[in-house]
Amino acid sequence: DTEVTQTPKHLVMGMTNKKSLKCEQHMGHRAMYWYKQKAKKPPELMFVYSYEKLSINESVPSRFSPECPNSSLLNLHLHALQPEDSALYLCASSQESRGPHEQYFGPGTRLTVT
Amino acid sequence: DAKTTQPPSMDCAEGRAANLPCNHSTISGNEYVYWYRQIHSQGPQYIIHGLKNNETNEMASLIITEDRKSSTLILPHATLRDTAVYYCIVRVVWSGGSNYKLTFGKGTLLTVNP
């Protein structure tokens, strides 16, 4: 099973809402990632978790709060977002963050902030 | 990470081989070449990676020049479903630090025509 699942597929939220994106993998991978992709742009890394610890934060605003409750789950908590945060949010996992391991991506959550 | 240069777009006839070039003239000894693709509105999909030897899997072949400054991804018999943005990425795989990021460039939009 090489599947990374993400829920929800689509999310519309107001600027005062709090919502969460969820990502799950059952491949035994110990590294998980959040990427953001704006329309017609390549994905940009936001966060990396390695062995359930945050190892990279690409200077992401605090209105995005990642959480890794266990080795299979990755959440992204959203609060007080801006319309410019509307994008496709992609989750990925790999065997480890170091080494020649490929990343497996989920289908993404398309977020619209109104 | 070393930067890559890819043509913005290419066309290929269905059933023919698609050869996608990538220049990475500043690649370092501890960097691998990775190829991913992204079909419209889906998450990126891993295709293949390599260090210096040519590699082949069920999806594609990767040809890396002897000086490692460029590579070519070959899809042997392109189909309409291979229409996607193809990303060539060079990535550190071993380092004393923790910078193992996958940094996407603009990629090549491959259009397979009937």
Side-chain angles (χ1 to χ4, degrees):
Chain A
D1 180 12
T2 57
E3 191 178 21
V4 175
T5 59
Q6 290 187 245
T7 54
K9 287 191 189 321
H10 301 275
L11 178 62
V12 179
M13 61 184 289
M15 290 189 284
T16 58
N17 291 158
K18 285 185 183 181
K19 296 286 185 184
S20 296
L21 309 184
K22 180 179 170 182
C23 173
E24 197 164 3
Q25 57 88 14
H26 295 288
M27 295 177 277
H29 289 172
R30 303 314 300 267
M32 296 187 76
Y33 312 80
W34 280 115
Y35 289 82
K36 173 181 178 178
Q37 186 173 25
K38 300 280 283 182
K40 299 188 188 302
K41 299 288 187 184
E44 293 179 344
L45 183 67
M46 299 174 72
F47 303 103
V48 180
Y49 272 82
S50 179
Y51 289 84
E52 297 154 55
K53 287 187 168 43
L54 183 64
S55 63
I56 295 178
N57 176 342
E58 290 286 275
S59 303
V60 178
S62 60
R63 58 186 184 269
F64 295 91
S65 175
E67 179 197 20
C68 190
N70 60 56
S71 59
S72 300
L73 272 177
L74 186 66
N75 297 319
L76 186 63
H77 303 297
L78 313 172
H79 173 55
L81 294 193
Q82 304 296 311
E84 58 265 29
D85 296 321
S86 298
L88 181 68
Y89 288 85
L90 294 159
C91 174
S93 71
S94 65
Q95 189 171 332
E96 292 202 4
S97 61
R98 65 178 64 191
H101 304 296
E102 60 269 31
Q103 291 184 19
Y104 293 88
F105 285 80
T109 293
R110 190 161 297 283
L111 174 68
T112 303
V113 182
T114 60
Chain B
D1 291 347
K3 291 186 178 176
T4 61
T5 305
Q6 298 179 254
S9 63
M10 292 182 65
D11 286 317
C12 177
E14 189 177 20
R16 304 297 292 269
N19 295 276
L20 292 94
C22 179
N23 284 318
H24 31 79
S25 58
T26 60
I27 193 169
S28 300
N30 62 350
E31 289 179 313
Y32 275 55
V33 180
Y34 286 78
W35 283 84
Y36 285 76
R37 73 180 182 183
Q38 188 171 23
I39 296 168
H40 182 61
S41 294
Q42 298 183 19
Q45 178 188 23
Y46 164 80
I47 301 173
I48 199 166
H49 71 273
L51 180 62
K52 54 185 177 182
N53 297 323
N54 297 338
E55 302 287 345
T56 295
N57 63 21
E58 64 277 5
M59 286 184 70
S61 294
L62 173 60
I63 309 297
I64 302 174
T65 57
E66 194 167 342
D67 63 7
R68 301 186 70 233
K69 292 186 177 182
S70 66
S71 61
T72 301
L73 178 75
I74 302 172
L75 307 179
H77 304 288
T79 71
L80 299 179
R81 288 178 295 181
D82 292 321
T83 292
V85 177
Y86 286 76
Y87 296 102
C88 168
I89 303 165
V90 291
R91 174 181 168 267
V92 169
V93 295
W94 65 84
S95 166
S98 60
N99 187 9
Y100 301 102
K101 297 187 296 185
L102 200 66
T103 303
F104 288 81
K106 295 180 181 178
T108 296
L109 173 60
L110 174 69
T111 303
V112 180
N113 300 304

